[in-house]
Amino acid sequence: MRIFSRCLNFFSMVMNRLLVKSKVLPENPIEQYSLDPSSPTFYIVKLNARSDLAALARVCKKHGLPNPTEQQLLGNTELDRFIGLQNPPPLFGDKAKPTDALQKGKLIIEQLIASNEQNVQVIPVTILWGRNPGKEKPGLGTLVSHSLTPSWFRKFFVLLFSGRDNFVRFSQPLDLSLLVNEKADVDELPHKLLRVARVHFRRQKLAATGPKMPSREQLFSSLLASPTIKKAIQTEAKEKNISHEQARQNALKLLDEIAANYSDATIRVADRVLTWLWNKLYNGIDIKYTEQLHDLTNKGHEIIYMPCHRSHMDYLLLTYSIYHLGLVPPHIAAGINLNFFPAGGIFRRSGAFFIRRSFAGNKLYSAVFKEYLSQLFIKGYSVKFYTEGGRSRTGRLLPPKTGMLAMTLQAMMRGIDRPISIVPVYIGYEHVMEINTYLKELAGNDKKGESIFGIFKAIKNLKNYGRGYLNFGDPISVNQYLNEHQPDWRESIHPTDVQKPQWLGPQVANLADKVMVNINSAAALNAVNLLAMILLVNDKQALSKPKLLAQLDFYLHLQKSASYSDKISAPDENAEQLLNHALKLNKFDVISDEFGEIIAINDKEKTLFNYYRNNILHVFAVPSLLALHIFKSHKTTLNQCQELISRFYPLFAKEWFLNELDENYISRILASFVDQELIEINGDEIKITNSNDCLAKLEMLGRALSLTLQRYAIVIGFIQTSKGIDRAELERESQVLAQRLGTLHGIKSPEFFDKKVLIGFINNLRQQALISESDAGLQGSNDLCEVYMHLKALLPARIWQSITDIVQNQSS
């Protein structure tokens, strides 16, 4: 029998080498979990199968972990390292024999107690063959699917067809010392160990594959049978004077238009295509702060991904990254404009469901879409949608659209019992492929619809786009948020439908703002946006190479010592390496003369670079304002710096979705200036050091805010110099003056003239109670007057003169 068992193990090893390719997460389990290969180690897995053991053995050998096929000496006893919770079912019948996992667990715990061994590592390992979630009603596909526990005969076919998609995930070792130290019956401890492991594997499988999928027909039948849609169908028939069956067919057509048709096979093909695409387009994709995703899935949370929206590439990049993190790709809310041949079908089978821009006047569509979204949450699918509603044309975060978020909360009020967490995601690029189109649209051109020809054109123009960046922000527990801000929210729960409670609108708006704050708190600095910050403020958008490297060093040091948020990511490279990388992207000119090299932005890129600077301008907002104030005054005090920031930070926070001001943030920035010998602090007094370099560095940093402060001065100037101004007139005159300043002073930043940005600032002033509206029009407060005086001190005299000449003439 022993010889037969060894022969089977050998056969499994050979088959494994020929047929199996494993993806391992995390990529370095020893480093990720601080594992000690010399400590007693056991592996606990769901299925006691030789193919799983062989795959695990290969992975462990590659990563320097103890061999699971060998025995582990614990105390004076040798124990099997491999513990399988469940045996495969027999070829005939469905009842498998119990494993010896309980006995092994008991022996480990007994030896642990007897030997007082404190460093035993029991590592849960999730082993999946393919990522197919399976069907709610199994069909012929289950023969080659690992979605059901396979017999040894079926396992051969699983290995044959899914061996190249083997997935091995190591998890944090179970802390047996905590289990042993519990005041519980020792005989109960092995049972508890196995229960913990079973729950863990169930959650890991759900996180990696998602819940079982209904057929499209089953899904539609269940949705049409829901009380909500039944009621909507009756209303449709009555209001449009059509038959009930015709109204039902209308609902069915809407479901067909909306619903995703997720296919694991499509995802696998897309994975290979996208891997090729990323290698062609990008020098790499930097993904950070992923551990919190796994923490949420380990706790059984349902995840809603809410990223910022820069490019159509976002759809692909985020889904691809989530899949490679070992998590099931989310269902994606996509605009109906993307439902064109052939992309629409591919997106739909990749998990996209389509949403119209407006639900207005279509009660049936609204009911069908809301019920479909509710079913996604009820069944446990992760979902992704863009809270901005569309792609940002300026590089700034757009004001959030709250419709999808409101429907999400309404779905929760249907009585979903699982915790739901929102994961904000910052996405950034060193090159946005649609950026030239954005510039044309900001200049007044009509937005072009998506089409197959646009795809072919994009493929034709594929080139080196630098690096992509994806940072996961701090998650927001929706349940916890509502408990804190709306304690009575559970009283609105209804099993079928829910009337919109009065509190829903304000809470959704606040929650949407918090999502945007967490997105911007996880911004990614890179070579292009940092160089944009530096070069755009200089004449001719050029700077000598030594000065450029010195300023870049300044910004990198500032980020490390006084970061706005601990989730802002900075490059690992030094200034010289970042510059060399950026020069390879063909966005810069290098001009050499007898005095050295000058780095300049290409003429065709100068306007476009405002987009990249806007991605990270919020990160430098407070340091820039402090630098500008110190540069202009040469000597100031800590109290004056704090008073200045207190005036402007509420305006910055609303415009750029910033966190509440950390009381130590100003001190950390000033300490960073001191470290770099730019200023000296003596008690409460702050003054510039006697160095020409310090003046240039502070001036360049301060000028990063120049356009923002000019825009503030334009709007506030019209308010302050009038006894009351009509809102529409203020919006129109502010835009005209912004365009005039652009002509006079060579400003080519599109958002500077953008009416939406000006309107947003006016709304901001009103929310901050800095302006009020009366019969005479908009009027400023005393606090607004203080802001206006600060602007006068901060802006260059020539800019201030241009603004005041116009606003005073208009008021006279």
Side-chain angles (χ1 to χ4, degrees), residues 18 53 110 119 138-139 234 264 283 286 356 483 487 506 576 633 660 711 772 791 797 809:
L18 292 175
L53 175 60
E110 286 176 350
N119 293 320
Q234 290 174 352
D264 176 65
N283 295 326
D286 290 349
R356 295 179 183 178
N483 288 338
E576 184 86 39
S633 61
E660 291 184 11
R711 182 163 24 87
S772 58
L791 289 169
N809 287 338

Side-chain angles (χ1 to χ4, degrees), residues 606-623:
K606 287 181 179 178
T607 304
L608 305 179
F609 259 61
N610 287 280
Y611 186 98
Y612 302 114
R613 176 176 63 179
N614 287 345
N615 289 174
I616 62 164
L617 185 56
H618 66 282
V619 176
F620 292 93
V622 175

Side-chain angles (χ1 to χ4, degrees), residues 168-231:
V168 179
R169 176 166 186 80
F170 293 88
S171 296
Q172 184 74 42
L174 301 174
D175 193 341
L176 293 189
S177 62
L178 293 178
L179 200 64
V180 170
N181 291 333
E182 286 186 0
K183 295 179 180 179
D185 185 353
V186 174
D187 292 335
E188 177 62 24
L189 295 182
H191 292 276
K192 185 170 184 179
L193 172 63
L194 299 194
R195 283 198 302 271
V196 170
R198 287 191 184 98
V199 171
H200 174 79
F201 289 131
R202 187 161 57 247
R203 288 178 174 173
Q204 286 291 307
K205 184 177 185 299
L206 187 64
T209 67
K212 292 182 179 179
M213 302 289 295
S215 69
R216 201 165 172 82
E217 293 76 15
Q218 290 169 340
L219 174 64
F220 288 2
S221 295
S222 66
L223 287 169
L224 290 172
S226 72
T228 304
I229 294 185
K230 278 185 173 180
K231 183 179 178 181

Side-chain angles (χ1 to χ4, degrees), residues 625-637 640-641 644 679 686-688 695 698 793-794:
L625 187 59
L626 286 172
L628 183 58
H629 169 64
I630 294 170
F631 171 76
K632 296 284 285 188
S633 61
H634 282 254
K635 183 183 292 186
T636 185
T637 66
Q640 288 174 335
C641 290
L644 177 71
I679 62 172
I686 300 170
K687 65 178 182 179
I688 295 178
L695 283 172
L698 289 172
L794 293 169

Side-chain angles (χ1 to χ4, degrees), residues 1-13 50:
M1 180 65 75
R2 199 176 188 90
I3 294 174
F4 179 70
S5 178
R6 287 179 177 175
C7 288
L8 284 177
N9 284 338
F10 177 76
F11 178 72
S12 296
M13 291 288 186
R50 285 183 170 85

